[in-house]
């Protein structure tokens, strides 16, 4: 079922303007043309495996072990305000689809999540 999600940079604190969508469920398969700016709401379907399907593209629920998508209610209120550890999000692990590999991260800032 499709729902709204805020693209949230509060925990990640990336220096980028937003989050690139992926062409597949691979963190490295960035679509250079589709970006959701931080703080905007996207409509998508939770695939149940750590990925949100937005049209024909995908967004990971977490990057570097930090939640970046939060559920939004019908009136625009944030419904999923639970701490990351208790939220229904795939936990960080080396095989987790939401992790950014070390070559994707600048030593001081997150350039292109």
């Amino acid at each position: 079922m499709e729902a709204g999600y805020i693209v949230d940079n509060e925990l990640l604190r990336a220096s980028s303007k937003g989050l690139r969508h992926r062409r597949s469920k691979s963190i490295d398969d960035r679509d250079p043309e589709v970006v959701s700016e931080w703080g905007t709401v996207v409509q998508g379907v939770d695939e149940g495996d750590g990925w949100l399907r937005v049209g024909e593209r995908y967004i990971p629920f977490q990057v570097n072990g930090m939640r970046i998508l939060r559920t939004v209610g019908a009136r625009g209120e944030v419904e999923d305000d639970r701490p990351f550890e208790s939220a229904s999000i795939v936990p960080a692990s080396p095989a987790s689809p939401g992790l950014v590999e070390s070559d994707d991260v600048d030593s001081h800032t997150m350039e292109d999540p």
Side-chain angles (χ1 to χ4, degrees), residues 2 7 10 15-16 18-19 22 24 33-34 44-45 49-51 60 63 67-68 73 81-82 87 91 97 102 111 113:
E2 193 167 280
V7 183
E10 183 179 348
S15 61
S16 62
L19 180 73
R22 279 27 181 198
S24 67
E33 309 220 356
V34 183
V45 176
D49 58 359
W51 290 92
V63 171
R67 179 185 64 213
I68 57 170
D81 205 18
R82 296 169 288 168
S102 60
E111 294 300 325

Side-chain angles (χ1 to χ4, degrees), residues 88-101:
S88 60
I89 299 170
V90 178
S93 72
S96 177
L99 290 178
V100 174
E101 298 300 321

Side-chain angles (χ1 to χ4, degrees), residues 22-105:
R22 279 27 181 198
R23 292 176 282 205
S24 67
K25 292 180 182 180
S26 169
I27 198 71
D28 297 321
D29 194 12
R30 292 179 185 90
D31 185 329
E33 309 220 356
V34 183
V35 176
S36 289
E37 291 188 18
W38 300 117
T40 60
V41 175
V42 295
Q43 295 292 319
V45 176
D46 183 348
E47 295 278 287
D49 58 359
W51 290 92
L52 181 70
R53 182 171 38 85
V54 179
E56 295 181 4
R57 299 292 185 252
Y58 298 90
I59 298 175
F61 272 89
Q62 63 178 5
V63 171
N64 288 349
M66 294 177 216
R67 179 185 64 213
I68 57 170
L69 293 175
R70 298 174 69 191
T71 308
V72 177
R75 294 180 300 236
E77 73 279 7
V78 176
E79 290 183 344
D80 188 2
D81 205 18
R82 296 169 288 168
F84 175 73
E85 291 77 19
S86 64
S88 60
I89 299 170
V90 178
S93 72
S96 177
L99 290 178
V100 174
E101 298 300 321
S102 60
D103 61 340
D104 292 327
V105 181

